[in-house]
Amino acid sequence: MDGRTGRDEPDAGRGTPAVVVDVDGLDRMIRGLARAGYRVVGPVARDGAVVLDDVDGVADLPAGVGDEQDAGRYRLTGVAGGALFAHTVGPHSARRFLSPPRRTLWSAARDGDGFTVDGPAADDPPVALVGVRGCDLAAIAVQDRVRQRSPHPDPACASARARAFVVAVDCARPASTCFCTSTGTGPAAGPGHDLALTELTDAHGHRFVVRVGSDRGAAALAGVPWRPATAADLDAAARVVGDAAGRITRRLDPARARDVLAAAPEHPHWDDVARRCLSCANCTLVCPTCFCTAVEDVTDLAGGHASRVERWDSCFTLDHSYLHGGAVRGSTRSRYRQWLTHKLSTWWDQFGETGCVGCGRCIAWCPAGIDLVAEVAAIAGAPGESGP
Amino acid sequence: MAERVATATAGSPTRALAGRTFPARYRVATRRAETPDVVTLDLEPLDDPIPPPRPGQFVMLYPFGTGEAAISVSGLGDGGTLQHTIRAVGATTRALCALGRGAVVGVRGPFGSDWGVGSPDLDGLDVVVVAGGLGIAPLRPAVHALLGRPRSGRLSVLVGARSPADLCFADELGRWRRRADLHVAVTVDAAAPGWDGSVGLVTDLLAAAPFDPRRTVALVCGPEVMMRLAARGLEAAGVAPERIRCSLERNMHCAVVRCGHCQLGPLFVCADGPVLPWATVAPLLAVREL
Ligand SMILES: Cc1cc2nc3c(=O)[nH]c(=O)nc-3n(C[C@H](O)[C@H](O)[C@H](O)COP(=O)(O)OP(=O)(O)OC[C@H]3O[C@@H](n4cnc5c(N)ncnc54)[C@H](O)[C@@H]3O)c2cc1C
Ligand code: SF4
Ligand code: SF4
Ligand code: FES
């Protein structure tokens, strides 16, 4: 790409003219982030899914890979044109890196008849997340607000979050499970990114229109060849997002869902869901906003050292609500009700917003094909507002 | 790049986190068996003490390598000393009850809401304390605080236990009984030889307790069924549900609104509770398996 490079960083902030980089420019940006000390994580096609993992450059990204999703179904497909972000969201989300599935909180070592305590471990390197979709960008913010509600927010997660660099991407090919237009979280990437890309693969070449969301984002473009975006580039980008929004048909009204579920703790439909739900916890593990964890002790064989290890947990397990004598939520009915009511209703009471960002993961990854949008519609007593 | 990678410095935890994010260490100064499976520990700080808990609040106690358990303060001593009264029901509480004098235990806290006994809202009001079983543990420091308050109304302490042998703080209850400024009544589900007190439900003790229901605050702690009965009895006597404070138990892993385990509908019991008005919790507890 000709044009300016490096030293003149585009200015950050609202109203900043967007710039255009090509595939090589994106590659340089990723390598630049790694050189600056970031662990760069992006989408990678593996074992039949697009997951998030370390990437060295654009060669690791899933070129020409799309996905088809439906209730209980997720399949990769080939997409002509070689786009790097033709897929939507897979089973992983940013929370895997900002609040990892397993980590040590603190540890203790025997010392005479007592013990000493070692506080939280040193910080890991900061993470740069490449390819974050609008729904997941919103989910990062939802989890921020969860963390802020703690009287003693976890220092390691707060630090990981504050240092994270986010390269967002607008969605061009939403899945049938997506409903971000209902939650107001997509298909365009909203606020909260350092850089946001719209991928274009038209006659004018494979390129990215880049919006700069922060000073760090502007700095990351140093050393990357870019040119100012033209009106034609911006039009093309707007069309990509507009077309994507037009293809999303699934609808959920978050404010209505809140009221419907708040009024329905004893609704007979919970029994109907319970007959289908396997209590497998998949929905909670793929959901980008779920935050439940369990903490357990891991001791060495000699018993001289013990770590408090936090791992992801789910309200679908019996242990989640265990009190000596038994679980409070002993039935699948009550556990599914907890998941759906927390996500869509009590989340409002706790955090002032819905806990759902409309990513559709829980629909695709449910082995029984349970679709929360349809379940809410059934409880509301209305016919499903959209079919799978 | 504007953002520099933070250089990782291992080691010494900052003061602000000790006692909150990871435990401060305390030493068991005394250990007293209350009943065959309940022990009271007096803990003295080895590290900087945690901020003083208010009656009704709880801490997370950590016996080395054996988990953490939510345990209320059952008494507050001088110099940052904490008292805890623990029933051995599982791995963590058994390890806590087995700690001998001099043993070290980790403490995080204090967490949660309290009984509000330090508040001027209670000035001139009658207070009825209703405790079932180990529910007396978190209520004991509330009684201590109420006995010292200047503008007090009448104070009643109603205690229920399974049997005379299951009664905690029996000596102290005896001393309280001899005080003129306190109405104390104790009942058991099943009497034993030598028991000359009453037999029956703790709620049966309400009738003889001196309080003006329109000017009363009730503090209730015990098994959920007992709290439901007590609240019903108090409401029937004319105490408003907003004035009935009860202390809830839910599974707790973090105590700081992180693990999600303690949810009860919209509430995080670790932070919104454990002490909550009956008016708030009654509709939630009425839903089975919430
Ligand atoms: C706010 C609060 C105050 C409490 N105060 C006291 C007290 O003063 N004295 C006392 O003896 N007990 C108290 N408890 C109960 C005590 O926390 C449990 O008995 C203890 O956690 C059981 O752990 P365990 O490993 O011994 O038992 P297990 O039955 O083996 O527990 C397994 C796991 O289940 C959970 N769990 C089981 N029972 C309870 C329970 N009742 N409450 C919360 N989590 C539970 C814990 O996460 C535990 O790790 C309190 C509980 C709460 C929520
Ligand atoms: S509830 Fe389902 S659709 Fe909503 S954010 Fe979670 S996984 Fe996505
Ligand atoms: S309670 Fe269930 S739905 Fe809510 S955050 Fe925890 S795992 Fe997710
Ligand atoms: S105990 Fe973990 S959220 Fe309340």
PDB file of all heavy atoms in Angstrom, chain A residues 203-234:
ATOM      1  N   ALA A 203     -13.970  -5.053  -5.481  1.00  0.00           N
ATOM      2  CA  ALA A 203     -13.108  -4.901  -6.653  1.00  0.00           C
ATOM      3  C   ALA A 203     -11.903  -4.009  -6.366  1.00  0.00           C
ATOM      4  O   ALA A 203     -10.888  -4.071  -7.058  1.00  0.00           O
ATOM      5  CB  ALA A 203     -13.926  -4.333  -7.816  1.00  0.00           C
ATOM      6  N   HIS A 204     -12.012  -3.203  -5.318  1.00  0.00           N
ATOM      7  CA  HIS A 204     -10.885  -2.304  -5.013  1.00  0.00           C
ATOM      8  C   HIS A 204      -9.849  -2.963  -4.121  1.00  0.00           C
ATOM      9  O   HIS A 204      -8.944  -2.314  -3.616  1.00  0.00           O
ATOM     10  CB  HIS A 204     -11.403  -1.010  -4.367  1.00  0.00           C
ATOM     11  CG  HIS A 204     -12.386  -0.295  -5.239  1.00  0.00           C
ATOM     12  ND1 HIS A 204     -12.014   0.387  -6.370  1.00  0.00           N
ATOM     13  CD2 HIS A 204     -13.733  -0.210  -5.175  1.00  0.00           C
ATOM     14  CE1 HIS A 204     -13.101   0.872  -6.963  1.00  0.00           C
ATOM     15  NE2 HIS A 204     -14.154   0.524  -6.249  1.00  0.00           N
ATOM     16  N   GLY A 205     -10.022  -4.246  -3.876  1.00  0.00           N
ATOM     17  CA  GLY A 205      -8.985  -4.980  -3.168  1.00  0.00           C
ATOM     18  C   GLY A 205      -9.383  -5.380  -1.758  1.00  0.00           C
ATOM     19  O   GLY A 205     -10.372  -4.898  -1.195  1.00  0.00           O
ATOM     20  N   HIS A 206      -8.608  -6.306  -1.217  1.00  0.00           N
ATOM     21  CA  HIS A 206      -8.824  -6.806   0.149  1.00  0.00           C
ATOM     22  C   HIS A 206      -8.194  -5.801   1.111  1.00  0.00           C
ATOM     23  O   HIS A 206      -6.982  -5.614   1.122  1.00  0.00           O
ATOM     24  CB  HIS A 206      -8.160  -8.178   0.286  1.00  0.00           C
ATOM     25  CG  HIS A 206      -8.544  -8.891   1.550  1.00  0.00           C
ATOM     26  ND1 HIS A 206      -8.170 -10.187   1.804  1.00  0.00           N
ATOM     27  CD2 HIS A 206      -9.275  -8.502   2.628  1.00  0.00           C
ATOM     28  CE1 HIS A 206      -8.637 -10.563   2.992  1.00  0.00           C
ATOM     29  NE2 HIS A 206      -9.319  -9.546   3.504  1.00  0.00           N
ATOM     30  N   ARG A 207      -9.026  -5.129   1.884  1.00  0.00           N
ATOM     31  CA  ARG A 207      -8.487  -4.064   2.736  1.00  0.00           C
ATOM     32  C   ARG A 207      -9.382  -3.858   3.948  1.00  0.00           C
ATOM     33  O   ARG A 207     -10.484  -4.425   4.020  1.00  0.00           O
ATOM     34  CB  ARG A 207      -8.370  -2.760   1.940  1.00  0.00           C
ATOM     35  CG  ARG A 207      -9.719  -2.213   1.468  1.00  0.00           C
ATOM     36  CD  ARG A 207      -9.532  -1.263   0.289  1.00  0.00           C
ATOM     37  NE  ARG A 207     -10.764  -0.523  -0.017  1.00  0.00           N
ATOM     38  CZ  ARG A 207     -11.807  -1.051  -0.661  1.00  0.00           C
ATOM     39  NH1 ARG A 207     -11.817  -2.313  -1.048  1.00  0.00           N
ATOM     40  NH2 ARG A 207     -12.876  -0.305  -0.896  1.00  0.00           N
ATOM     41  N   PHE A 208      -8.921  -3.048   4.863  1.00  0.00           N
ATOM     42  CA  PHE A 208      -9.665  -2.804   6.097  1.00  0.00           C
ATOM     43  C   PHE A 208      -9.820  -1.311   6.320  1.00  0.00           C
ATOM     44  O   PHE A 208      -8.826  -0.580   6.290  1.00  0.00           O
ATOM     45  CB  PHE A 208      -8.922  -3.412   7.297  1.00  0.00           C
ATOM     46  CG  PHE A 208      -8.705  -4.891   7.168  1.00  0.00           C
ATOM     47  CD1 PHE A 208      -7.552  -5.386   6.556  1.00  0.00           C
ATOM     48  CD2 PHE A 208      -9.656  -5.792   7.624  1.00  0.00           C
ATOM     49  CE1 PHE A 208      -7.361  -6.755   6.412  1.00  0.00           C
ATOM     50  CE2 PHE A 208      -9.467  -7.159   7.482  1.00  0.00           C
ATOM     51  CZ  PHE A 208      -8.314  -7.645   6.864  1.00  0.00           C
ATOM     52  N   VAL A 209     -11.046  -0.896   6.524  1.00  0.00           N
ATOM     53  CA  VAL A 209     -11.269   0.477   6.968  1.00  0.00           C
ATOM     54  C   VAL A 209     -11.101   0.448   8.492  1.00  0.00           C
ATOM     55  O   VAL A 209     -11.732  -0.365   9.177  1.00  0.00           O
ATOM     56  CB  VAL A 209     -12.683   0.971   6.581  1.00  0.00           C
ATOM     57  CG1 VAL A 209     -12.942   2.351   7.187  1.00  0.00           C
ATOM     58  CG2 VAL A 209     -12.827   0.996   5.070  1.00  0.00           C
ATOM     59  N   VAL A 210     -10.224   1.301   9.001  1.00  0.00           N
ATOM     60  CA  VAL A 210      -9.864   1.248  10.421  1.00  0.00           C
ATOM     61  C   VAL A 210     -10.338   2.504  11.137  1.00  0.00           C
ATOM     62  O   VAL A 210     -10.011   3.615  10.723  1.00  0.00           O
ATOM     63  CB  VAL A 210      -8.329   1.120  10.592  1.00  0.00           C
ATOM     64  CG1 VAL A 210      -7.966   0.976  12.070  1.00  0.00           C
ATOM     65  CG2 VAL A 210      -7.795  -0.054   9.787  1.00  0.00           C
ATOM     66  N   ARG A 211     -11.126   2.316  12.194  1.00  0.00           N
ATOM     67  CA  ARG A 211     -11.507   3.440  13.050  1.00  0.00           C
ATOM     68  C   ARG A 211     -10.603   3.395  14.287  1.00  0.00           C
ATOM     69  O   ARG A 211     -10.394   2.324  14.860  1.00  0.00           O
ATOM     70  CB  ARG A 211     -12.968   3.331  13.482  1.00  0.00           C
ATOM     71  CG  ARG A 211     -13.939   3.128  12.327  1.00  0.00           C
ATOM     72  CD  ARG A 211     -15.390   3.319  12.739  1.00  0.00           C
ATOM     73  NE  ARG A 211     -15.908   2.298  13.635  1.00  0.00           N
ATOM     74  CZ  ARG A 211     -16.278   1.061  13.254  1.00  0.00           C
ATOM     75  NH1 ARG A 211     -16.143   0.674  11.991  1.00  0.00           N
ATOM     76  NH2 ARG A 211     -16.766   0.211  14.127  1.00  0.00           N
ATOM     77  N   VAL A 212     -10.115   4.544  14.676  1.00  0.00           N
ATOM     78  CA  VAL A 212      -9.190   4.591  15.811  1.00  0.00           C
ATOM     79  C   VAL A 212      -9.972   4.991  17.056  1.00  0.00           C
ATOM     80  O   VAL A 212     -10.642   6.016  17.068  1.00  0.00           O
ATOM     81  CB  VAL A 212      -8.058   5.602  15.535  1.00  0.00           C
ATOM     82  CG1 VAL A 212      -7.109   5.682  16.731  1.00  0.00           C
ATOM     83  CG2 VAL A 212      -7.298   5.200  14.276  1.00  0.00           C
ATOM     84  N   GLY A 213      -9.914   4.151  18.080  1.00  0.00           N
ATOM     85  CA  GLY A 213     -10.740   4.407  19.265  1.00  0.00           C
ATOM     86  C   GLY A 213      -9.971   4.918  20.464  1.00  0.00           C
ATOM     87  O   GLY A 213     -10.574   5.271  21.476  1.00  0.00           O
ATOM     88  N   SER A 214      -8.644   4.933  20.399  1.00  0.00           N
ATOM     89  CA  SER A 214      -7.874   5.363  21.569  1.00  0.00           C
ATOM     90  C   SER A 214      -6.486   5.785  21.130  1.00  0.00           C
ATOM     91  O   SER A 214      -6.054   5.502  20.008  1.00  0.00           O
ATOM     92  CB  SER A 214      -7.746   4.214  22.573  1.00  0.00           C
ATOM     93  OG  SER A 214      -6.857   3.230  22.067  1.00  0.00           O
ATOM     94  N   ASP A 215      -5.777   6.447  22.026  1.00  0.00           N
ATOM     95  CA  ASP A 215      -4.390   6.817  21.743  1.00  0.00           C
ATOM     96  C   ASP A 215      -3.530   5.576  21.529  1.00  0.00           C
ATOM     97  O   ASP A 215      -2.649   5.563  20.684  1.00  0.00           O
ATOM     98  CB  ASP A 215      -3.813   7.638  22.905  1.00  0.00           C
ATOM     99  CG  ASP A 215      -4.489   9.002  23.011  1.00  0.00           C
ATOM    100  OD1 ASP A 215      -5.017   9.472  21.980  1.00  0.00           O
ATOM    101  OD2 ASP A 215      -4.508   9.571  24.115  1.00  0.00           O
ATOM    102  N   ARG A 216      -3.832   4.540  22.317  1.00  0.00           N
ATOM    103  CA  ARG A 216      -3.063   3.305  22.133  1.00  0.00           C
ATOM    104  C   ARG A 216      -3.290   2.736  20.746  1.00  0.00           C
ATOM    105  O   ARG A 216      -2.393   2.190  20.116  1.00  0.00           O
ATOM    106  CB  ARG A 216      -3.489   2.255  23.168  1.00  0.00           C
ATOM    107  CG  ARG A 216      -3.078   2.591  24.575  1.00  0.00           C
ATOM    108  CD  ARG A 216      -3.273   1.413  25.488  1.00  0.00           C
ATOM    109  NE  ARG A 216      -4.652   0.930  25.458  1.00  0.00           N
ATOM    110  CZ  ARG A 216      -5.120  -0.007  26.270  1.00  0.00           C
ATOM    111  NH1 ARG A 216      -4.322  -0.581  27.143  1.00  0.00           N
ATOM    112  NH2 ARG A 216      -6.366  -0.381  26.208  1.00  0.00           N
ATOM    113  N   GLY A 217      -4.566   2.864  20.291  1.00  0.00           N
ATOM    114  CA  GLY A 217      -4.884   2.381  18.957  1.00  0.00           C
ATOM    115  C   GLY A 217      -4.106   3.146  17.900  1.00  0.00           C
ATOM    116  O   GLY A 217      -3.545   2.559  16.966  1.00  0.00           O
ATOM    117  N   ALA A 218      -4.062   4.452  18.066  1.00  0.00           N
ATOM    118  CA  ALA A 218      -3.311   5.279  17.114  1.00  0.00           C
ATOM    119  C   ALA A 218      -1.842   4.876  17.128  1.00  0.00           C
ATOM    120  O   ALA A 218      -1.211   4.726  16.070  1.00  0.00           O
ATOM    121  CB  ALA A 218      -3.468   6.751  17.480  1.00  0.00           C
ATOM    122  N   ALA A 219      -1.318   4.641  18.331  1.00  0.00           N
ATOM    123  CA  ALA A 219       0.100   4.284  18.439  1.00  0.00           C
ATOM    124  C   ALA A 219       0.384   2.947  17.759  1.00  0.00           C
ATOM    125  O   ALA A 219       1.462   2.734  17.212  1.00  0.00           O
ATOM    126  CB  ALA A 219       0.503   4.233  19.913  1.00  0.00           C
ATOM    127  N   ALA A 220      -0.604   2.058  17.802  1.00  0.00           N
ATOM    128  CA  ALA A 220      -0.388   0.735  17.212  1.00  0.00           C
ATOM    129  C   ALA A 220      -0.296   0.803  15.694  1.00  0.00           C
ATOM    130  O   ALA A 220       0.145  -0.144  15.047  1.00  0.00           O
ATOM    131  CB  ALA A 220      -1.517  -0.210  17.622  1.00  0.00           C
ATOM    132  N   LEU A 221      -0.737   1.929  15.113  1.00  0.00           N
ATOM    133  CA  LEU A 221      -0.653   2.060  13.655  1.00  0.00           C
ATOM    134  C   LEU A 221       0.687   2.640  13.218  1.00  0.00           C
ATOM    135  O   LEU A 221       0.971   2.728  12.021  1.00  0.00           O
ATOM    136  CB  LEU A 221      -1.809   2.929  13.140  1.00  0.00           C
ATOM    137  CG  LEU A 221      -3.181   2.248  13.174  1.00  0.00           C
ATOM    138  CD1 LEU A 221      -4.260   3.215  12.719  1.00  0.00           C
ATOM    139  CD2 LEU A 221      -3.190   0.992  12.316  1.00  0.00           C
ATOM    140  N   ALA A 222       1.505   3.027  14.196  1.00  0.00           N
ATOM    141  CA  ALA A 222       2.841   3.505  13.840  1.00  0.00           C
ATOM    142  C   ALA A 222       3.593   2.326  13.217  1.00  0.00           C
ATOM    143  O   ALA A 222       3.525   1.221  13.720  1.00  0.00           O
ATOM    144  CB  ALA A 222       3.566   4.006  15.082  1.00  0.00           C
ATOM    145  N   GLY A 223       4.231   2.549  12.121  1.00  0.00           N
ATOM    146  CA  GLY A 223       4.956   1.454  11.472  1.00  0.00           C
ATOM    147  C   GLY A 223       4.083   0.647  10.534  1.00  0.00           C
ATOM    148  O   GLY A 223       4.529  -0.321   9.940  1.00  0.00           O
ATOM    149  N   VAL A 224       2.804   1.022  10.443  1.00  0.00           N
ATOM    150  CA  VAL A 224       1.882   0.312   9.551  1.00  0.00           C
ATOM    151  C   VAL A 224       1.532   1.246   8.395  1.00  0.00           C
ATOM    152  O   VAL A 224       1.131   2.385   8.631  1.00  0.00           O
ATOM    153  CB  VAL A 224       0.591  -0.075  10.295  1.00  0.00           C
ATOM    154  CG1 VAL A 224      -0.435  -0.669   9.343  1.00  0.00           C
ATOM    155  CG2 VAL A 224       0.905  -1.032  11.429  1.00  0.00           C
ATOM    156  N   PRO A 225       1.700   0.791   7.137  1.00  0.00           N
ATOM    157  CA  PRO A 225       1.325   1.673   6.028  1.00  0.00           C
ATOM    158  C   PRO A 225      -0.188   1.873   5.994  1.00  0.00           C
ATOM    159  O   PRO A 225      -0.936   0.893   6.089  1.00  0.00           O
ATOM    160  CB  PRO A 225       1.772   0.902   4.779  1.00  0.00           C
ATOM    161  CG  PRO A 225       2.499  -0.312   5.261  1.00  0.00           C
ATOM    162  CD  PRO A 225       2.155  -0.526   6.691  1.00  0.00           C
ATOM    163  N   TRP A 226      -0.631   3.099   5.896  1.00  0.00           N
ATOM    164  CA  TRP A 226      -2.064   3.371   5.812  1.00  0.00           C
ATOM    165  C   TRP A 226      -2.283   4.595   4.934  1.00  0.00           C
ATOM    166  O   TRP A 226      -1.369   5.374   4.684  1.00  0.00           O
ATOM    167  CB  TRP A 226      -2.661   3.602   7.196  1.00  0.00           C
ATOM    168  CG  TRP A 226      -2.021   4.713   8.003  1.00  0.00           C
ATOM    169  CD1 TRP A 226      -0.982   4.587   8.875  1.00  0.00           C
ATOM    170  CD2 TRP A 226      -2.364   6.101   8.010  1.00  0.00           C
ATOM    171  NE1 TRP A 226      -0.655   5.797   9.418  1.00  0.00           N
ATOM    172  CE2 TRP A 226      -1.487   6.754   8.919  1.00  0.00           C
ATOM    173  CE3 TRP A 226      -3.347   6.855   7.346  1.00  0.00           C
ATOM    174  CZ2 TRP A 226      -1.543   8.132   9.175  1.00  0.00           C
ATOM    175  CZ3 TRP A 226      -3.400   8.230   7.613  1.00  0.00           C
ATOM    176  CH2 TRP A 226      -2.495   8.855   8.517  1.00  0.00           C
ATOM    177  N   ARG A 227      -3.525   4.716   4.459  1.00  0.00           N
ATOM    178  CA  ARG A 227      -3.913   5.933   3.747  1.00  0.00           C
ATOM    179  C   ARG A 227      -5.259   6.366   4.283  1.00  0.00           C
ATOM    180  O   ARG A 227      -6.002   5.540   4.843  1.00  0.00           O
ATOM    181  CB  ARG A 227      -3.988   5.673   2.240  1.00  0.00           C
ATOM    182  CG  ARG A 227      -5.040   4.646   1.845  1.00  0.00           C
ATOM    183  CD  ARG A 227      -5.291   4.652   0.361  1.00  0.00           C
ATOM    184  NE  ARG A 227      -6.147   3.538  -0.061  1.00  0.00           N
ATOM    185  CZ  ARG A 227      -7.470   3.514   0.053  1.00  0.00           C
ATOM    186  NH1 ARG A 227      -8.113   4.518   0.617  1.00  0.00           N
ATOM    187  NH2 ARG A 227      -8.167   2.471  -0.376  1.00  0.00           N
ATOM    188  N   PRO A 228      -5.591   7.639   4.148  1.00  0.00           N
ATOM    189  CA  PRO A 228      -6.905   8.072   4.619  1.00  0.00           C
ATOM    190  C   PRO A 228      -8.001   7.345   3.840  1.00  0.00           C
ATOM    191  O   PRO A 228      -7.839   7.063   2.659  1.00  0.00           O
ATOM    192  CB  PRO A 228      -6.925   9.571   4.305  1.00  0.00           C
ATOM    193  CG  PRO A 228      -5.510   9.954   4.044  1.00  0.00           C
ATOM    194  CD  PRO A 228      -4.804   8.736   3.563  1.00  0.00           C
ATOM    195  N   ALA A 229      -9.105   7.045   4.521  1.00  0.00           N
ATOM    196  CA  ALA A 229     -10.223   6.384   3.849  1.00  0.00           C
ATOM    197  C   ALA A 229     -10.918   7.384   2.932  1.00  0.00           C
ATOM    198  O   ALA A 229     -11.092   8.551   3.290  1.00  0.00           O
ATOM    199  CB  ALA A 229     -11.199   5.847   4.884  1.00  0.00           C
ATOM    200  N   THR A 230     -11.311   6.926   1.745  1.00  0.00           N
ATOM    201  CA  THR A 230     -12.061   7.775   0.819  1.00  0.00           C
ATOM    202  C   THR A 230     -13.546   7.617   1.098  1.00  0.00           C
ATOM    203  O   THR A 230     -13.970   6.698   1.817  1.00  0.00           O
ATOM    204  CB  THR A 230     -11.800   7.351  -0.625  1.00  0.00           C
ATOM    205  OG1 THR A 230     -12.293   6.005  -0.786  1.00  0.00           O
ATOM    206  CG2 THR A 230     -10.313   7.394  -0.962  1.00  0.00           C
ATOM    207  N   ALA A 231     -14.328   8.492   0.493  1.00  0.00           N
ATOM    208  CA  ALA A 231     -15.782   8.375   0.628  1.00  0.00           C
ATOM    209  C   ALA A 231     -16.245   7.020   0.117  1.00  0.00           C
ATOM    210  O   ALA A 231     -17.160   6.403   0.683  1.00  0.00           O
ATOM    211  CB  ALA A 231     -16.465   9.506  -0.133  1.00  0.00           C
ATOM    212  N   ALA A 232     -15.613   6.530  -0.932  1.00  0.00           N
ATOM    213  CA  ALA A 232     -16.002   5.230  -1.494  1.00  0.00           C
ATOM    214  C   ALA A 232     -15.712   4.109  -0.495  1.00  0.00           C
ATOM    215  O   ALA A 232     -16.525   3.183  -0.334  1.00  0.00           O
ATOM    216  CB  ALA A 232     -15.258   4.979  -2.805  1.00  0.00           C
ATOM    217  N   ASP A 233     -14.560   4.187   0.192  1.00  0.00           N
ATOM    218  CA  ASP A 233     -14.243   3.178   1.216  1.00  0.00           C
ATOM    219  C   ASP A 233     -15.312   3.190   2.310  1.00  0.00           C
ATOM    220  O   ASP A 233     -15.795   2.142   2.754  1.00  0.00           O
ATOM    221  CB  ASP A 233     -12.897   3.492   1.894  1.00  0.00           C
ATOM    222  CG  ASP A 233     -11.706   3.360   0.948  1.00  0.00           C
ATOM    223  OD1 ASP A 233     -11.716   2.442   0.112  1.00  0.00           O
ATOM    224  OD2 ASP A 233     -10.783   4.190   1.066  1.00  0.00           O
ATOM    225  N   LEU A 234     -15.643   4.397   2.755  1.00  0.00           N
ATOM    226  CA  LEU A 234     -16.597   4.517   3.862  1.00  0.00           C
ATOM    227  C   LEU A 234     -17.980   4.028   3.452  1.00  0.00           C
ATOM    228  O   LEU A 234     -18.675   3.374   4.233  1.00  0.00           O
ATOM    229  CB  LEU A 234     -16.655   5.966   4.362  1.00  0.00           C
ATOM    230  CG  LEU A 234     -15.338   6.488   4.957  1.00  0.00           C
ATOM    231  CD1 LEU A 234     -15.463   7.964   5.316  1.00  0.00           C
ATOM    232  CD2 LEU A 234     -14.948   5.671   6.192  1.00  0.00           C
TER     233      LEU A 234
END
